[in-house]
Amino acid sequence: MPDKTPPHKKQINSIDVAKAAGVSPATISRAFANRNINSKTREHILRIANELGYYPDALASGLNKGKNKLIAIIFDERNLNEWEFLMLDKLSTQLQNNGYFPLIHRLSSTSQYERVKSIAAWKTAGIIVFNDLLDASLLSKTFMTSSLIIVNTNFKAGNKISADHIIIDDHNGLKPLVDNLLLCGRKNFTWIGGTGVSTQRKKTISQILHKNKLSFIDSEQGDYSYDSGYMKSLLLCRRTPHIDTIMCANDSMALGAMDAIRHTLKLKVPEDIAITGYDDIPQASWPSYNLTTVRENTDEIISTVINFLLTRQKSPETPPRFYDLKSIYIPRTSSPAGNM
């Protein structure tokens, strides 16, 4: 039987439109720019272009006009967790509402130098970085011609980095969380962490515990996923006796830990073991979990990012700005209630 698969369509370019319309390629450019061309000729060209399915290259057009609208958003290479998906969804929507075109990149610390350079070659209008594994100095030097916005905790306002920076204060949310656990008599703390930002969160908690003459009695490294929280909590409980608290670097691992404690070990949360997370993803408030956690307000982060981006587009010489975002303690029933 003859092959009925339709032939692959050739991508139409401006030269094809020019031939079909009987004009020069330069006239095609003028028609779409609506510049130095009479109305009848322009209407004729636009009709032909529509029939052929031709659309001008928005990126090339923007670069020619000096109005590049591409925005690179950089996360690290690990699987995106729920908080990052939520952030990406909201941020992309806001960027598009402001006429920008988001490009998503995922980098690791080992490949950062070459791949960051490849992103810089796009000459984007802005770079938004949620990857605390990347070197801020490298980013600042590489993207000198773009609006660079860095979002993480491992930065101090005194650092001389030529970039706008949202500094997330995890201490503001973690301090009351740990204090409440201590108030309720918890002493045997364990930790399930990951790479990157997890290190800073563990350090903050360790400092609070140290002031109370305590420390983590055991820890495991997960990968921010539900499955790793499930498995690592079982390892902790089977290896280390008398655990009364499991603190997790994010909510996804905390949800996995809760299910492992309740359904596999048949223990009660929080009576036997308290579980806490970080991020306050939507699932954390579900009645089946009701997870005690710490919130980093995504709407506040996004509004600040958009403000930084738009104001720097208007005033490129504006000195680097720093926004100190306070995390918030969200008490729920996965930890015991104290008098706080």
Side-chain angles (χ1 to χ4, degrees), residues 87-100:
M87 174 63 69
L88 184 57
D89 179 59
K90 289 184 175 181
L91 179 57
S92 297
T93 298
Q94 286 300 314
L95 288 170
Q96 291 169 15
N97 288 344
N98 283 277
Y100 291 100

Side-chain angles (χ1 to χ4, degrees), residues 16 22 25 59 64-65 67 74 132 151 157 206 209 228 241 244 248 253 285 287 304 306 315 336:
D16 297 320
L59 174 58
N64 290 334
K65 296 175 183 177
K67 295 181 179 180
I74 301 177
D132 59 316
V151 183
S206 295
L209 290 175
S228 71
D244 60 31
C248 300
M253 292 193 295
S285 65
T304 304
I306 297 298
S315 304

